[in-house]
Amino acid sequence: MTKEKLALEIIERLKKEYPDAGCTLDYDQAWKLLVSVRLAAQCTDARVNVVVEDLYAKFPDIDALAAADVDEIEEIVRPCGLGKSKARDIGACMKILKEKHGGKVPKDFDALLKLPGVGRKSANLIMGDVFGEPAIVTDTHCIRLVNRMGLVDGIKEPKKVEMALWKIIPAEEGSDFCHRLVYHGRDICTARTKPYCDKCCLQDICMKNGV
């Protein structure tokens, strides 16, 4: 089976297994997803979803966060880890949104990459979830699973994984596919334990069953 055919089969099976899979970070405005994805670095989405409630209670919009003292932001976001750098990036990012983008998140991949604390993973998440554009989010679940499944061969560098997947994943499927990998990676194809291959909907086609 070619990688292209394998990819299409995996996509279809994961659709049936996780029909409602979506972003596990809570947000109702684009700028909030920007904040949450920065906080999610080396932190669980569940914890981020709790912490941002306190953050938005004190700083309810872009203007408030842009004007906030970095120490005040850090005090709230500290439970997510790396509090100082995350607070600094969030404050700087909100200032740029206010001053250069009219208080809106830009619908442009390269413009997103210029925002403090925003890398390719975050920019792809914003493009896919907020703007409905083709996107491939190479988080730790994605990288682990596509290597195990045989969609990529021993590639661990996020950008290289992303580029390899663009060649075999239909553009319109990329964003949802990556969300489903998160669900599958948490429930079945786990990182900290041996994967539950006996429960896996991909067991018979996974190239590295049990690895």
Side-chain angles (χ1 to χ4, degrees):
M1 189 184 299
T2 65
K3 281 184 168 57
E4 289 83 358
K5 288 185 177 180
L6 178 62
L8 291 175
E9 182 63 25
I10 289 172
I11 286 168
E12 289 308 309
R13 293 193 188 191
L14 291 180
K15 277 184 182 179
K16 293 176 182 177
E17 197 75 9
Y18 310 99
D20 302 318
C23 183
T24 51
L25 291 167
D26 296 335
Y27 69 97
D28 55 8
Q29 297 178 66
W31 67 270
K32 291 183 178 180
L33 183 56
L34 260 182
V35 170
S36 288
V37 75
R38 180 65 187 98
L39 293 177
Q42 298 181 40
C43 181
T44 65
D45 290 359
R47 175 169 289 182
V48 171
N49 289 338
V50 172
V51 168
V52 292
E53 290 186 12
D54 293 334
L55 185 66
Y56 302 146
K58 188 164 188 177
F59 307 109
D61 53 35
I62 289 175
D63 288 351
L65 265 179
D69 188 286
V70 171
D71 291 338
E72 289 187 89
I73 299 175
E74 182 187 353
E75 183 67 30
I76 298 172
V77 304
R78 187 177 292 127
C80 295
L82 305 174
K84 190 174 294 294
S85 63
K86 289 180 179 180
R88 184 178 63 244
D89 284 346
I90 288 169
C93 185
M94 296 302 114
K95 284 185 176 73
I96 292 173
L97 291 186
K98 180 182 178 182
E99 295 168 4
K100 294 187 177 181
H101 299 288
K104 297 182 182 297
V105 176
K107 187 182 178 180
D108 179 84
F109 189 80
D110 292 329
L112 288 170
L113 287 180
K114 293 177 182 177
L115 297 173
V118 176
R120 295 188 67 85
K121 180 182 77 171
S122 303
N124 269 300
L125 184 66
I126 296 291
M127 292 302 291
D129 278 46
V130 174
F131 299 118
E133 296 293 327
I136 289 179
V137 182
T138 49
D139 62 5
T140 55
H141 290 293
C142 174
I143 293 169
R144 182 177 74 255
L145 268 63
V146 297
N147 272 282
R148 285 178 174 172
M149 294 168 179
L151 293 179
V152 302
D153 301 311
I155 307 174
K156 299 298 172 67
E157 203 273 304
K159 184 177 179 180
K160 290 182 180 178
V161 172
E162 180 191 336
M163 294 303 118
L165 291 178
W166 277 120
K167 296 176 182 177
I168 60 173
I169 304 293
E172 69 276 8
E173 298 285 359
S175 183
D176 288 342
F177 172 65
C178 292
H179 286 319
R180 292 186 174 102
L181 290 180
V182 172
Y183 282 73
H184 197 63
R186 289 176 179 174
D187 295 344
I188 303 295
C189 201
T190 53
R192 291 189 173 88
T193 64
K194 188 176 180 181
Y196 301 101
C197 296
D198 57 318
K199 301 177 183 177
C200 182
C201 62
L202 308 172
Q203 182 180 12
D204 59 313
I205 58 171
C206 180
M207 295 297 183
K208 300 183 180 179
N209 189 351
V211 172

